[in-house]
Amino acid sequence: MNDLHTWLSQQHHGLRTFRTFQQKLETLGQHDPAQRGLCRLLSDVVGSYVEAFDEAPLPVEVADGAYHRLLTLVESLDLHGDAARRLTDINRVATCELWR
């Protein structure tokens, strides 16, 4: 996730960034099967945000807030943590809403 966080921190907060992020999660999940579940869950969170605003006006405040929440979430994930830490991360991702 460090590479994803680094990449994300250098991007604009537009929907294209979120779509590309989903593609990067797909690649990570394919290359690291142990992370596949977390990647899929995180991709679903991002996907619901993209779907909500696809083809609709996206207020700058909403885009900026969602981008910073995603950046903070990705930064907080520990892919090498023990089972309890990983479960905590998964539960946090599962309850995350980027724009509400």
Side-chain angles (χ1 to χ4, degrees):
M1 286 290 168
N2 287 340
D3 292 341
L4 282 176
H5 180 267
T6 300
W7 175 85
L8 186 60
S9 69
Q10 298 169 357
Q11 302 304 307
H12 185 266
H13 59 245
L15 287 179
R16 180 174 293 155
T17 295
F18 288 82
R19 287 185 194 109
T20 303
F21 185 73
Q22 283 183 289
Q23 293 168 348
K24 289 183 174 293
L25 287 168
E26 178 68 27
T27 300
L28 176 61
Q30 289 174 356
H31 289 27
D32 189 352
Q35 306 307 329
R36 194 170 286 155
L38 181 59
C39 288
R40 178 68 178 260
L41 191 56
L42 192 53
S43 182
D44 288 349
V45 168
V46 171
S48 67
Y49 171 72
V50 170
E51 286 178 24
F53 291 101
D54 196 27
E55 304 292 328
L58 179 58
V60 173
E61 312 82 51
V62 172
D64 194 43
Y67 171 79
H68 286 291
R69 279 188 285 286
L70 180 59
L71 191 60
T72 300
L73 180 63
V74 171
E75 182 179 38
S76 72
L77 299 175
D78 182 2
L79 298 183
H80 305 292
D82 63 11
R85 171 59 195 262
R86 293 185 50 124
L87 182 59
T88 299
D89 285 347
I90 288 169
N91 285 330
R92 196 164 13 90
V93 170
T95 60
C96 179
E97 292 183 344
L98 296 178
W99 77 98
R100 295 180 191 166

